[in-house]
Amino acid sequence: MADINEQSQKFMDFMFSGLDHGIYSISDSGGPLIPFIMIQTGDKKEMKRFVTERYEEGVAAAEKALVEMQPKPDFGLIAFDGFITWEEKKYDAVIVRAFDKTQDEGFQFCQRYIPKEDGSGIEPTGNSAFLGKSENIILENPSPKTEPSKEPQKKKPWWKF
């Protein structure tokens, strides 16, 4: 199981660069953030945005692009606009799902933001937060998923539980 406290500095810097880019992208316009992926192989970074008719389709297209990517990048992330509840209050937030191809799990982080007082965009509020783990969709060597047996199961007599 991947432990957030044992991740390389290079991977953590990559993940935070995705959060920072997401906040910067909407700092003047106020959002919403166009979903994007960022990948890194060696020292080379690339980014692609997903403009779709419905916002949710952009997030799904970004995920599909990372899943199908060959060869797998060292690191990958999906960034999108969402909501989180913090201390019983709902906030807009940039959410990043980040993946290292050598780890068995991915990580989710967010950065909350609020509208600027003059209405000219947004500004981050509070610290970025770790939201939890997720499936690693760029896992280099995923373990094979076991399929249920296709042999018919023998039923036990009702008196044997």
Side-chain angles (χ1 to χ4, degrees):
M1 308 246 338
D3 183 344
I4 191 63
N5 296 314
E6 295 176 4
Q7 299 306 303
S8 71
Q9 188 63 47
K10 189 173 182 178
F11 176 61
M12 296 303 289
D13 290 346
F14 171 78
M15 190 277 308
F16 281 109
S17 72
L19 270 179
D20 291 344
H21 183 79
I23 290 291
Y24 176 78
S25 295
I26 60 174
S27 62
D28 292 335
S29 67
L33 175 66
I34 296 169
F36 67 88
I37 62 171
M38 186 183 293
I39 60 168
Q40 181 173 334
T41 302
D43 291 331
K44 183 180 176 186
K45 285 184 185 175
E46 295 179 47
M47 190 177 74
K48 180 178 179 182
R49 295 190 183 278
F50 293 84
V51 179
T52 55
E53 193 169 316
R54 293 186 48 216
Y55 191 81
E56 299 81 12
E57 292 169 353
V59 177
E63 182 172 330
K64 182 179 181 195
L66 272 183
V67 167
E68 295 177 352
M69 193 168 285
Q70 291 298 331
K72 298 294 185 189
D74 295 338
F75 308 134
L77 66 77
I78 301 169
F80 56 94
D81 219 342
F83 300 100
I84 67 159
T85 302
W86 189 267
E87 297 177 343
E88 299 181 20
K89 185 176 177 188
K90 187 176 179 179
Y91 287 91
D92 290 301
V94 170
I95 299 172
V96 166
R97 294 175 50 212
F99 313 99
D100 175 336
K101 74 178 181 182
T102 65
Q103 298 293 314
D104 58 347
E105 296 173 300
F107 301 98
Q108 297 183 76
F109 285 83
C110 74
Q111 175 61 60
R112 296 174 291 145
Y113 64 86
I114 56 174
K116 289 182 181 174
E117 287 189 22
D118 65 4
S120 65
I122 61 100
E123 59 188 2
T125 184
N127 295 324
S128 56
F130 176 59
L131 297 176
K133 297 179 182 181
S134 67
E135 177 186 2
N136 187 344
I137 61 174
I138 68 163
L139 193 58
E140 190 165 44
N141 295 313
S143 57
K145 294 187 178 182
T146 57
E147 293 185 26
S149 174
K150 292 187 169 99
E151 294 180 25
Q153 296 286 328
K154 290 184 178 180
K155 292 187 177 181
K156 292 181 180 179
W158 64 269
W159 65 89
K160 291 185 180 179
F161 292 101

